[in-house]
Amino acid sequence: MLAACLGFLVAFSFILFQVPIATALGFVGFGGYVLLSGWTPALSMVATVTKDSTMVYSLIVLPLFVLMGNLVAGAGISQDLFRAAQAFIGRRRGGLAMATIVACGGFGAICGSSVATAATMGKVAIPSMRKLGYADSLSAAAVAAGGTLGILIPPSIIMVVYGVATQTHIGMLFAAGIVPGILAIFGYILAVKWSVWRNPEVAPLGEKIEKHDRIALVKSLWPVAVIFGVVMGGIYGGFFTSIEASGIGASASMVFALSHHSLKLKDVYGILVDTAKTSAMMFAIILGAALFGEFVNQTGVHEGLLKIVNGSGLPPFGIIMLMVVLYILLGSVLESLSMILLTVPIFFPIITALGYDPVWFGILIVVVVELGLIHPPIGVNLFVIRSVMPDIPMMTIVRGVLPFITVDMIRIFIIAAVPAISLWLPHLLFKSAP
């Protein structure tokens, strides 16, 4: 236990001093393993873990889903989503902020990345809201919170990583994220309504858009409907696996991107390079976390924690809430992928020992990680918005995002207390799945 605690402390110290997360985790994991077992076992461990953690067939979905999201984003579909959402709900006070959240949900459904969703929609939505007189606090917060939907509404890169790490059915995880994702959208809309009710000056009324214009805007979204329908419909219908779906989705996105007149071959090349860089970074983090995980396993911390849990006298729900608090605290210093890869090997055996469903726990983790993306001081999406709109002060963004954080806290408690919210749909669609 002491060795594991020291390892975490050293790793966090490296991260706080801006050492790349993959390097920090890998270095501490290898160094700790050397101290516990010696050089020869440590070197053998590195060779084995490198092969087992990166050369995994199911991880093919990561670069393919990243490519799918980048291609669709590069083709400008985010603007179409925003205009369509604006046409239907943008006229209400605060409606453009609500439309931004809905558009983020739609974009997240084909992107799978919260950072990409926040960055892309921030460039589209914030300037539009500014022109209509929206306060920066509301417009920035709506994009930051809406961006978190990218890792909850399927297909989600984080869910794929969790599924691979825990051998959980990825299709069931995707299905389990739909209802909580819809709840998130409605919760964020309520946060906008609260902000507007509290101070009507932060959002003016919008202009009415004629019916024929709204129909035309909806028709422009057919690529999103086709790509999402083929990918998710194929998985849920049993026509192909999630791995095959990622390839089909990437291919469909490539066809759409190449047929889009505003996207040229040099743009596609840039998208491919960006996808390669993002994928390499993700695999590096996966490898670093795997090395650290082997060190943690060697310390025997799992058995120690399980004994503490069994002897604590806490009810199972109390243990879950304690884990949620720990995740929220970790969200202050770690980004989502690292947090999941670092903690799941420790917490997952406890969850299974308590008899909880791995699919439900995966969704709960994703929802808590969502909160970490927008709560200070590190909230990644806050810094994404700051980089997109550098003239908006950080404290302005933080003030605007507080109602969204409150909504997320309520949603976390509901999903933790009522597992059926997450499990109803996957059990309906995958009755024969393990």
Side-chain angles (χ1 to χ4, degrees):
M1 287 288 289
L2 178 60
C5 292
L6 289 174
F8 275 100
L9 181 62
V10 174
F12 287 148
S13 298
F14 280 146
I15 293 169
L16 289 175
F17 281 103
Q18 299 184 346
V19 175
I21 293 174
T23 303
L25 296 179
F27 178 79
V28 174
F30 175 72
Y33 206 98
V34 168
L35 293 175
L36 292 176
S37 304
W39 282 97
T40 301
L43 291 172
S44 299
M45 180 272 293
V46 170
T48 303
V49 168
T50 301
K51 177 179 178 295
D52 293 344
S53 64
T54 58
M55 298 181 68
V56 180
Y57 178 64
S58 53
L59 286 178
I60 294 173
V61 300
L62 292 182
L64 289 175
F65 276 140
V66 171
L67 176 61
M68 183 178 76
N70 286 347
L71 286 168
V72 175
I77 195 65
S78 58
Q79 298 178 6
D80 296 335
L81 281 164
F82 178 71
R83 286 195 294 264
Q86 178 187 1
F88 283 90
I89 61 177
R91 190 187 178 196
R92 298 175 176 84
R93 188 177 295 278
L96 205 53
M98 300 177 198
T100 299
I101 290 166
V102 174
C104 284
F107 188 76
I110 52 176
C111 176
S113 167
S114 289
V115 172
T117 301
T120 304
M121 295 306 302
K123 295 174 185 177
V124 175
I126 294 179
S128 298
M129 285 190 273
R130 274 184 159 180
K131 288 180 181 178
L132 293 177
Y134 276 70
D136 285 342
S137 58
L138 179 59
S139 57
V143 176
T148 65
L149 300 171
I151 63 171
L152 180 59
I153 297 178
S156 164
I157 294 171
I158 292 295
M159 287 185 191
V160 172
V161 173
Y162 172 86
V164 172
T166 61
Q167 298 298 304
T168 302
H169 194 289
I170 293 176
M172 292 187 72
L173 285 169
F174 283 175
I178 292 178
V179 174
I182 294 172
L183 287 177
I185 292 174
F186 280 108
Y188 289 158
I189 288 175
L190 289 176
V192 173
K193 284 183 171 292
W194 164 261
S195 300
V196 174
W197 173 79
R198 191 166 176 267
N199 182 11
E201 294 182 0
V202 299
L205 290 170
E207 298 178 358
K208 182 179 180 180
I209 298 179
E210 298 298 329
K211 183 178 180 180
H212 60 85
D213 293 328
R214 285 185 289 177
I215 294 174
L217 287 169
V218 171
K219 288 181 179 179
S220 68
L221 298 180
W222 68 266
V224 177
V226 170
I227 294 172
F228 183 80
V230 169
V231 172
M232 304 314 299
I235 294 175
Y236 300 150
F239 296 106
F240 39 75
T241 65
S242 57
I243 299 172
E244 295 164 341
S246 64
I248 293 171
S251 300
S253 300
M254 179 67 79
V255 171
F256 167 67
L258 291 175
S259 63
H260 203 274
H261 299 298
S262 64
L263 202 63
K264 300 177 181 178
L265 281 177
K266 66 176 183 179
D267 299 321
V268 174
Y269 173 77
I271 289 172
L272 293 173
V273 171
D274 183 63
T275 299
K277 290 179 180 178
T278 302
S279 301
M281 177 196 69
M282 293 172 63
F283 274 91
I285 294 175
I286 289 172
L287 175 58
L291 294 174
F292 189 84
E294 287 297 317
F295 156 66
V296 171
N297 289 337
Q298 193 72 2
T299 65
V301 70
H302 302 90
E303 292 80 2
L305 285 176
L306 194 55
K307 289 180 182 178
I308 293 174
V309 167
N310 291 332
S312 65
L314 288 173
F317 186 73
I319 295 170
I320 295 296
M321 287 293 98
L322 181 60
M323 289 184 182
V324 167
V325 172
L326 290 174
Y327 269 111
I328 292 174
L329 294 175
L330 285 174
S332 298
V333 294
L334 289 176
E335 50 83 37
S336 55
L337 180 60
S338 304
M339 186 161 35
I340 286 181
L341 288 170
L342 195 60
T343 57
V344 164
I346 299 173
F347 291 156
F348 191 74
I350 298 174
I351 291 299
T352 54
L354 293 174
Y356 283 107
D357 192 298
V359 174
W360 164 80
F361 184 62
I363 299 303
L364 179 63
I365 287 179
V366 171
V367 173
V368 178
V369 166
E370 278 187 322
L371 175 58
L373 290 169
I374 59 173
H375 83 69
I378 300 298
V380 175
N381 277 13
L382 305 182
F383 287 93
V384 170
I385 301 303
R386 185 78 169 82
S387 65
V388 172
M389 305 297 295
D391 57 329
I392 300 180
M394 178 58 75
M395 286 308 301
T396 299
I397 304 174
V398 171
R399 283 197 301 270
V401 87
L402 290 179
F404 297 89
I405 292 175
T406 302
V407 167
D408 268 347
M409 295 290 289
I410 296 171
R411 183 162 55 102
I412 288 170
F413 181 82
I414 293 173
I415 291 174
V418 189
I421 292 175
S422 304
L423 298 177
W424 168 74
L425 188 57
H427 286 171
L428 178 66
L429 296 175
F430 298 93
K431 293 179 180 179
S432 60

